[in-house]
C-alpha cells in the first residue's frame, strides 16, 4: 500500500538512502541534522523494466520526496546500494571480457599463464567468458591495434590490461588502456584495482570487475541522468562492500566494489544509528541471517573469494546462516518425536504463507502434517492444513510470536492468538505445551546462529562480557532476542529494523582504502600512503576538515594500508539530547562492570569523557587499568583492558607524544613495538594502533594534529602491546 500524503509545514535538509533488493526497492529520508528517520517508502524492484533497476531507484526517490513533502533542493546527500553486481556474478550473467597481457622474455611465461582464468567458474557450469591475448610490448601500437581490432570483431566491449609489476611502473598498462579507451572500450587496468603484488590475484580481481562493468556503467548513466532531470544537485553515491560509499565516477571505474554491499549497508546503519562500538550485527531476512562484527566502531573486512579463488577485493566479513524469519520448522511427528531443525528452506521459497499471519479463525481445527516443500527436500517440514484446504507454513516467526518475544511494534509481530494457534497442532503432536514446543523451535534455530556469533567474538578478540548483539532486517525479532538470551549477552533490535539497510546507505561515509607493499617503509612513505587515501575521499566530495585516516603497517608483509573516511558535508547534530555527566558515569560503570563509585574520570573534553576502572596488579609488573572512552551521546567509543591516559593540548603535543610513546615502547627479540595509540582531538578519535614503529607513529600523530589550534584539548590513550 502506498504511503499516505503527509503535511510538512517545515522542511529540513535530508540524506536519502536507497537499497535495491531482490523484490523491493526501499528508500528512506534521514534528517541531515538530527540523523533521525523522517520517511520511508517501498516500491517493486524493476528487474524487467527496459531501464533495469535504475527505473526502480528513480521511482523510489520520487515517491519518497512526495511522501515526505521535500523538494529536490532539500537533498544534500543521495546514495544507493544494489545487489546488481552480486547477482550478476552469482548467476553468471556477465559480459565477455578481453584480457590483454603484456610481457616479453621471462615475464611472458607468467603472463601467458593468465589465459587459464577462462577456466574460472562463477557458478557451477558457468565459466568466465574470457578471450586472452598476449602483447610483447605496450609501445608497439600496430600490435596493440591488431589485438583491439580482433577483440572488437568478437563483440567484446570490456577489457582488462595487465602487466607484471605494474604497481611499480604502470606506464605499459596505462598506454594500452588509454589507446583502448580512445576507441570506446571500457577498460580495467590492474594497477587501478590494486597496488599489491601478485600478478594472478590482481588480474583475477580486475577480470571480475570487467565482466560486470558494461551493465553497471549503463545503470550508472541512467540513474545519473534521471537524478539530473529531477533537479537534485547533491552528488550521487554508491554503496561499497566495506561499509562506505563512493562517488559515481569511482563506481564506473571499479564496480566490483559494490559486490556484497547489501550486508555492508545494514552494518553501516547499526554503526551510525545504533552507535554500535563493539558487538555483533545480525541482519535477518526471510531466508537467512547475515552475521558480522563491529570492533572499536569499525566494520571487520577481509579479502573475498569467487569461484574458489582469492581476490584483492576487501569486503565485509559476513557469515551467512540459513536461518531467517520465514525458515520452516522441521520435526519428527508422533510419539518420541521432536523438533529436529529450522530451515534452510523458507516459506517464501516453498510458496506458503506464514501460519501466524493468517486470520485466527482460518487456523481453527487445522491439522499438522510433515511434507517435502520442494523435490529433494526431506519430508519433515511442518505445515498446517486448514479445514478449507489451505496450507500454511509453521515458521520461526510463528514460534517467536507464540512465546511473546516479538515486540508489538516490530515488523515481524503477528496476532498473538494466531501465533499460538499456529503452534498448538505441532505441540500436541509432540506431546508438549505450546510454550515448550516454541522454545524448542527457537533453540534449534538459535544454535547455528550462536555458533557463528561465538566464532566472530573469538576471531576478533572482543571482550565477551561487553559484546552487544544488534538485530536488523524484517525478521530480526525472530532471531536476535533468543540468541541474546541463550548466550547471556546484551541484545537489542535496531530502530526501524526493516529498513536498516537503506538507513545505513543514507548515513554511510565516503571511504577509500590505499595499500602499498613497501619493504622497510620510511616515515615519509607511510605519510605518503596516508595522504593518498585522504586526497582520494576529498576528491569524491568529502569535506576536508572531517576526514579521518587509519593507518596500518604490517611488518611481516611490508604492507602499508590507509583507510580514509569522510562525509560530503559537515555533520552538525543537535546537541540538546546529549547526556549529562551522571548519566555518562552510570554508563561507564556498567561497561566496566563495577559500581558507579568505583569509576574515575581520567580525562574530559567537550566531545569525550575518558573513564578508568579500579586498577588491578599483575602477578609481576605494573598495575593494569581498564579504560573506557565515551562520547557525549553515551556511546562507548573505545574499550581497553589496560591503557595509560594523558591529557594535554595540541600545542604541547610536540613534546608530550614522543616522550609518552617512547616510555611505553616495548623491546624484545623481534624488535621494538610502539604502543597502540588513539588520539582524541575535537570530535575525532584517530586510530593509530596499526603502526608498530615508534618513529612512524610519532610522525603520523603530528600529521593528525596539523592545522588545529594550539589550545585545543588533546587526549592520548596508549595501550601497551603484550
Amino acid at each position: 500500500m502506498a504511503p499516505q500524503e503527509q503535511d510538512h509545514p517545515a522542511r529540513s535538509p535530508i540524506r536519502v538512502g536507497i537499497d535495491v533488493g531482490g523484490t523491493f526497492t526501499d528508500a528512506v529520508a534521514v534528517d541531515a541534522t538530527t540523523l533521525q528517520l523522517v520517511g520511508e517508502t517501498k516500491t517493486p524492484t524493476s528487474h524487467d523494466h527496459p531501464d533495469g533497476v535504475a527505473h526502480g531507484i528513480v521511482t523510489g526517490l520520487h515517491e519518497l520526496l512526495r511522501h515526505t513533502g521535500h523538494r529536490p533542493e532539500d537533498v544534500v546527500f543521495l546514495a544507493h546500494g544494489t545487489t546488481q553486481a552480486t547477482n550478476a556474478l552469482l548467476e553468471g550473467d556477465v559480459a565477455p571480457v578481453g584480457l590483454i597481457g603484456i610481457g616479453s622474455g621471462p615475464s611472458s611465461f607468467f603472463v601467458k599463464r593468465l589465459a587459464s582464468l577462462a577456466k574460472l567458474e562463477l557458478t557451477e557450469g558457468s565459466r568466465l567468458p574470457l578471450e586472452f591475448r598476449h602483447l610483447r610490448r605496450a609501445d608497439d601500437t600496430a600490435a596493440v591495434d591488431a589485438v583491439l581490432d580482433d577483440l572488437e570483431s568478437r563483440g567484446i566491449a570490456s577489457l582488462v590490461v595487465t602487466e607484471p609489476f605494474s604497481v611499480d611502473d604502470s606506464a605499459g598498462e596505462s598506454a594500452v588502456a588509454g589507446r583502448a579507451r580512445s576507441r570506446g572500450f571500457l577498460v580495467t587496468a590492474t594497477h587501478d584495482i590494486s597496488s599489491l603484488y601478485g600478478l594472478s590475484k590482481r588480474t583475477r580481481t580486475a577480470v571480475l570487475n570487467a565482466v560486470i562493468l558494461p551493465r553497471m556503467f549503463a545503470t550508472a548513466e541512467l540513474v545519473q541522468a534521471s537524478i539530473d532531470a529531477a533537479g537534485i544537485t547533491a552528488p550521487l553515491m554508491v554503496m561499497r562492500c566495506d561499509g562506505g560509499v563512493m562517488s559515481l565516477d569511482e563506481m564506473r571505474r571499479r564496480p566490483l566494489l559494490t559486490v556484497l554491499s547489501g550486508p555492508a549497508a545494514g552494518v553501516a546503519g547499526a554503526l551510525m544509528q545504533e552507535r554500535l562500538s563493539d558487538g555483533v550485527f545480525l541482519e535477518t531476512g526471510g531466508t537467512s541471517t547475515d552475521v558480522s562484527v563491529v570492533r572499536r566502531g569499525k566494520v571487520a573486512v577481509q579479502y573475498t573469494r569467487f569461484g574458489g579463488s582469492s581476490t584483492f577485493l576487501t569486503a565485509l566479513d559476513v557469515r551467512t546462516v540459513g536461518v531467517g524469519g520465514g525458515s520452516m520448522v522441521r520435526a519428527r511427528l508422533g510419539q518420541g518425536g521432536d523438533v529436529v531443525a529450522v530451515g534452510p528452506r523458507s516459506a517464501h521459497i516453498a510458496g506458503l504463507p506464514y501460519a501466524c499471519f493468517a486470520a485466527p479463525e482460518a487456523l481453527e481445527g487445522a491439522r499438522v502434517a510433515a511434507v517435502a516443500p520442494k523435490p529433494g527436500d526431506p519430508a519433515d517440514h511442518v505445515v498446517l492444513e486448514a479445514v478449507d484446504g489451505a496450507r500454511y507454513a509453521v515458521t520461526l516467526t510463528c514460534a517467536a510470536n507464540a512465546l511473546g518475544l516479538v515486540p508489538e511494534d516490530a515488523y515481524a509481530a503477528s496476532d498473538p492468538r494466531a501465533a499460538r494457534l499456529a503452534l498448538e497442532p505441532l505441540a500436541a503432536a509432540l506431546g508438549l505445551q505450546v510454550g515448550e514446543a516454541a522454545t524448542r523451535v527457537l533453540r534449534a534455530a538459535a544454535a547455528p546462529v550462536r555458533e557463528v556469533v561465538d566464532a566472530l567474538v573469538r576471531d576478533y578478540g572482543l571482550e565477551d562480557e561487553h559484546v552487544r548483539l544488534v538485530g536488523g532486517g524484517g525478521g530480526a525479532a525472530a532471531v536476535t532476542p533468543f540468541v541474546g538470551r541463550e548466550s547471556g549477552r546484551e541484545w537489542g533490535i535496531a530502530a526501524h529494523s526493516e529498513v536498516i539497510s537503506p538507513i545505513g546507505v543514507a548515513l554511510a561515509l565516503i571511504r577509500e582504502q590505499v595499500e602499498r607493499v613497501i619493504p622497510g617503509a620510511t616515515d615519509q612513505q607511510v605519510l605518503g600512503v596516508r595522504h593518498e587515501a585522504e586526497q582520494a575521499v576529498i576528491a569524491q566530495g568529502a569535506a576536508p576538515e572531517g576526514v579521518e585516516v587509519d593507518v596500518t603497517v604490517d611488518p611481516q608483509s611490508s604492507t602499508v594500508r590507509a583507510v580514509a573516511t569522510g562525509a560530503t558535508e559537515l555533520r552538525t547534530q543537535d546537541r540538546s539530547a546529549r547526556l549529562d555527566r551522571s548519566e555518562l558515569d552510570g554508563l561507564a560503570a556498567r561497561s566496566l562492570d563495577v559500581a558507579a563509585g568505583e569509576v574515575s574520570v581520567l580525562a574530559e573534553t567537550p566531545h569525550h569523557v575518558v573513564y578508568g576502572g579500579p586498577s588491578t596488579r599483575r602477578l609481576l609488573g605494573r598495575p593494569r587499568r581498564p579504560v573506557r572512552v565515551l562520547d557525549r551521546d553515551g556511546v562507548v567509543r573505545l574499550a581497553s583492558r589496560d591503557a595509560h591516559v594523558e591529557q594535554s593540548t595540541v600545542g604541547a603535543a610536540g613534546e608530550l607524544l614522543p616522550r609518552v610513546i617512547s616510555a611505553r615502547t616495548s623491546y624484545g627479540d623481534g624488535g621494538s613495538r610502539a604502543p597502540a595509540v588513539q588520539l582524541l582531538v575535537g570530535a575525532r578519535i584517530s586510530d593509530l594502533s596499526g603502526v608498530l614503529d615508534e618513529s612512524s607513529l610519532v610522525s603520523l600523530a603530528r600529521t593528525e594534529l596539523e592545522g588545529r589550534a594550539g589550545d585545543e584539548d588533546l587526549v592520548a590513550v596508549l595501550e601497551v602491546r603484550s
Side-chain angles (χ1 to χ4, degrees):
M1 181 181 295
Q4 294 183 351
E5 195 72 58
Q6 298 183 13
D7 182 27
H8 299 274
R11 306 194 320 268
S12 59
I14 57 172
R15 298 172 65 90
V16 173
I18 302 174
D19 182 57
V20 182
T23 305
F24 291 103
T25 293
D26 293 314
V28 300
V30 174
D31 189 292
T33 299
T34 65
L35 302 188
Q36 297 300 307
L37 181 69
V38 297
E40 60 181 274
T41 60
K42 185 184 294 286
T43 57
T45 297
S46 52
H47 294 294
D48 299 326
H49 191 275
D51 291 344
V53 298
H55 176 75
I57 292 172
V58 176
T59 300
L61 172 62
H62 285 296
E63 179 67 12
L64 181 69
L65 293 177
R66 185 194 67 79
H67 171 55
T68 61
H70 284 85
R71 297 174 183 170
E73 60 266 29
D74 299 326
V75 180
V76 297
F77 178 88
L78 172 62
H80 75 83
T82 175
T83 59
Q84 190 177 18
T86 305
N87 292 343
L89 290 175
L90 292 178
E91 296 167 9
D93 185 15
V94 295
V97 63
L99 173 59
I100 301 175
I102 307 168
S104 60
S107 65
S108 65
F109 170 77
F110 299 100
V111 169
K112 290 177 181 178
R113 291 178 61 184
L114 297 174
S116 64
L117 289 177
K119 299 177 181 179
L120 180 65
E121 287 192 339
L122 293 175
T123 60
E124 188 174 354
S126 174
R127 293 185 174 181
L128 274 174
L130 182 142
E131 291 279 346
F132 174 78
R133 298 293 183 271
H134 176 227
L135 276 174
R136 293 181 58 81
R137 296 194 348 253
D139 59 357
D140 186 343
T141 56
V144 172
D145 286 340
V147 167
L148 296 178
D149 289 341
D150 179 30
L151 293 174
E152 187 175 31
S153 70
R154 296 174 182 272
I156 291 175
S158 185
L159 303 180
V160 170
V161 183
T162 184
E163 184 176 24
F165 305 107
S166 62
V167 296
D168 296 326
D169 181 1
S170 61
E173 284 190 1
S174 297
V176 175
R179 196 160 186 86
R181 290 191 182 104
S182 70
R183 295 182 48 165
F185 286 95
L186 298 174
V187 185
T188 302
T190 69
H191 72 271
D192 285 332
I193 291 295
S194 175
S195 296
L196 298 179
Y197 295 122
L199 177 65
S200 179
K201 186 183 293 188
R202 192 170 68 250
T203 305
R204 186 184 307 122
T205 309
V207 167
L208 292 171
N209 186 78
V211 295
I212 60 174
L213 186 54
R215 174 175 292 188
M216 298 296 289
F217 193 93
T219 297
E221 297 302 301
L222 288 168
V223 174
Q224 184 65 70
S226 298
I227 297 302
D228 292 342
I232 293 176
T233 58
L236 177 60
M237 299 286 169
V238 183
M239 195 74 197
R240 292 166 51 117
C241 53
D242 55 11
V245 292
M246 60 182 171
S247 70
L248 200 64
D249 282 342
E250 279 301 307
M251 195 279 277
R252 291 186 180 102
R253 189 168 69 93
R254 297 182 291 170
L256 187 63
L257 290 177
T258 68
V259 171
L260 305 176
S261 62
V267 178
L271 277 170
M272 299 298 297
Q273 178 182 269
E274 300 301 313
R275 302 185 178 98
L276 183 61
S277 178
D278 283 272
V280 177
F281 179 65
L282 301 91
E283 186 164 17
T284 303
T287 303
S288 62
T289 296
D290 290 330
V291 189
S292 48
V293 69
V294 173
R295 183 175 183 271
R296 292 190 170 182
K298 298 180 179 64
V299 298
V301 297
Q302 64 176 3
Y303 291 122
T304 58
R305 298 177 66 87
F306 283 100
S309 300
S310 59
T311 72
F312 279 136
L313 173 67
T314 53
L316 184 75
D317 183 2
V318 58
R319 306 180 190 183
T320 301
V321 185
V323 174
S327 294
M328 295 180 68
V329 177
R330 297 167 56 191
R332 294 190 305 272
L333 302 179
Q335 186 174 3
D338 201 357
V339 174
V340 297
V342 177
R345 176 69 68 219
S346 71
H348 309 81
I349 303 301
L352 297 172
Y354 293 28
C356 61
F357 291 140
E361 53 271 20
L363 301 179
E364 296 283 359
R367 70 180 189 88
V368 68
V371 302
K374 292 288 185 180
D377 287 346
D380 59 4
H381 292 70
V382 178
V383 299
L384 296 185
E385 296 179 341
V387 174
D388 64 1
R391 179 176 280 184
Y392 301 91
V394 180
T395 68
L396 180 57
T397 296
C398 298
N401 276 287
L403 276 181
L405 292 179
V406 183
E408 292 182 2
D409 60 348
Y411 185 77
S414 74
D415 184 318
R417 181 168 168 241
R420 290 190 64 84
L421 285 170
L423 267 293
E424 277 181 1
L426 172 63
L430 299 179
L432 302 171
Q433 297 296 316
V434 168
E436 176 59 24
T439 298
R440 293 192 184 187
V441 169
L442 285 161
R443 188 163 287 133
V449 179
R450 182 181 173 184
E451 183 178 332
V452 171
V453 170
D454 290 344
L456 281 168
V457 170
R458 182 174 60 253
D459 291 349
Y460 286 95
L462 300 183
E463 293 189 43
D464 194 57
E465 63 272 24
H466 300 303
V467 169
R468 178 181 169 218
L469 308 184
V470 174
V479 172
T480 302
F482 199 79
V483 172
R485 294 184 185 188
E486 287 283 285
S487 64
R489 296 187 174 105
E490 180 185 355
W491 63 271
I493 303 296
H496 315 292
S497 63
E498 70 278 9
V499 288
I500 191 68
S501 286
I503 288 174
V505 175
L507 296 178
L509 300 172
I510 298 176
R511 178 181 170 108
E512 189 59 75
Q513 176 173 299
V514 175
E515 293 179 299
R516 295 281 184 272
V517 176
I518 310 175
T522 65
D523 296 353
Q524 285 304 114
Q525 288 173 316
V526 173
L527 292 173
V529 174
R530 180 200 181 280
H531 179 74
E532 185 178 347
E534 180 181 44
Q535 292 304 306
V537 296
I538 292 173
Q540 294 180 62
E545 54 269 53
V547 174
E548 298 185 11
V549 187
D550 294 340
V551 178
T552 301
V553 181
D554 185 344
Q556 292 185 326
S557 63
S558 298
T559 301
V560 180
R561 180 181 299 109
V563 178
T565 55
T568 54
E569 79 290 338
L570 286 181
R571 299 188 178 187
T572 54
Q573 278 186 264
D574 181 10
R575 307 297 182 192
S576 62
R578 291 197 154 185
L579 305 183
D580 60 32
R581 268 291 303 277
S582 63
E583 292 173 304
L584 292 174
D585 292 350
L587 290 170
R590 180 181 175 187
S591 176
L592 289 162
D593 198 23
V594 298
E598 294 184 82
V599 299
S600 56
V601 175
L602 304 180
E604 186 171 1
T605 74
H607 299 276
H608 301 98
V609 183
V610 184
Y611 291 92
S615 297
T616 57
R617 184 166 295 279
R618 299 179 180 182
L619 184 62
L620 295 172
R622 62 176 184 79
R624 171 185 292 161
R625 185 163 210 180
V627 167
R628 299 290 184 270
V629 177
L630 275 69
D631 65 22
R632 295 288 179 172
D633 294 319
V635 181
V636 178
R637 299 292 303 279
L638 174 63
S640 173
R641 295 183 178 93
D642 182 26
H644 174 79
V645 178
E646 290 273 359
Q647 180 160 17
S648 185
T649 63
V650 170
E655 181 277 329
L656 172 71
L657 291 176
R659 174 169 53 82
V660 296
I661 289 173
S662 178
R664 285 161 183 82
T665 296
S666 58
Y667 300 88
D669 293 341
S672 64
R673 291 168 61 86
V677 174
Q678 311 272 344
L679 294 181
L680 283 59
V681 56
R684 294 167 54 176
I685 299 180
S686 297
D687 184 355
L688 308 181
S689 60
V691 181
L692 300 177
D693 179 75
E694 181 181 343
S695 175
S696 296
L697 178 57
V698 171
S699 296
L700 276 171
R702 287 172 173 159
T703 300
E704 290 296 321
L705 304 179
E706 288 178 356
R708 308 199 75 102
D711 60 354
E712 190 172 2
D713 289 309
L714 168 71
V715 177
V717 180
L718 304 93
E719 299 174 275
V720 176
R721 302 183 195 271
S722 58

